[in-house]
């Protein structure tokens, strides 16, 4: 049985951090400095590579919903967070501040999981386990409305099939 066609999806990209170019420039200066200590030169190269990767690889969140599940992929990291609809009790729109989840990125804490391309508007899925999944989106209200429509259609299909 193949994967269901996505009924709704959205991609949100993060913003480039203003500090990333400064870190890259500082690392470049560190690499260019004449030094007799090879460890410092290696450290400078590593910092430069990490800074450039952070600049080159955008933080993106892709969310897809169908009649069976909600799937979220964060950036280029492997793995997809997949939640069956029956595991989600409610959705709501939230505004994520910088330190609510300790910054942007993929965060796993005791209260739940956050997939944040950036701070700001997000949709929060409350799970039957008591945990939450928070996903940053440009239009979280549209995601919440789409989820409610899909869940109503899913429940209607279940009622008609006698389950």
């Amino acid at each position: 049985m193949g994967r269901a066609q996505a009924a709704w999806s959205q991609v949100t990209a993060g913003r480039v951090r203003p500090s990333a170019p400064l870190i890259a420039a500082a690392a470049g200066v560190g690499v260019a400095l004449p030094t007799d200590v090879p460890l410092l030169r290696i450290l400078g190269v590593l910092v430069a590579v990490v800074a450039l990767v952070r600049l080159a690889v955008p933080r993106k969140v892709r969310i897809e919903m169908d009649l069976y599940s909600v799937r979220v992929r964060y950036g280029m990291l492997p793995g997809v967070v997949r939640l069956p609809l029956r595991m989600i009790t409610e959705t709501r729109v939230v505004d994520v501040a910088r330190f609510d989840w300790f910054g942007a990125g993929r965060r796993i804490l005791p209260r739940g999981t956050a997939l944040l391309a950036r701070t700001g508007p997000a949709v929060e899925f409350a799970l039957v386990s008591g945990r939450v999944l928070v996903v940053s989106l440009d239009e979280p209200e549209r995601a919440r409305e789409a989820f409610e429509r899909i869940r109503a259609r899913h429940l209607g299909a279940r009622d008609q099939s006698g389950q």
Side-chain angles (χ1 to χ4, degrees), residues 58-127:
R59 293 177 295 192
K60 279 200 298 193
V61 173
R62 174 182 296 276
I63 184 169
E64 296 177 341
M65 298 179 207
D66 60 33
L67 284 177
Y68 307 104
S69 64
V70 173
R71 291 177 307 281
V72 185
R73 176 181 295 279
Y74 178 78
M76 296 174 55
L77 292 175
V80 174
V81 175
R82 183 182 171 278
L83 295 172
L85 291 186
R86 68 180 181 279
M87 302 301 291
I88 301 170
T89 59
E90 87 176 281
T91 59
R92 65 187 187 113
V93 173
V94 295
D95 190 43
V96 178
R98 172 174 266 182
F99 295 107
D100 288 349
W101 290 89
F102 303 104
R106 185 179 206 160
R107 305 290 186 242
I108 301 171
L109 299 175
R111 68 177 184 233
T113 301
L115 301 168
L116 305 171
R118 46 141 178 80
T119 58
V123 65
E124 179 182 273
F125 297 96
L127 310 178

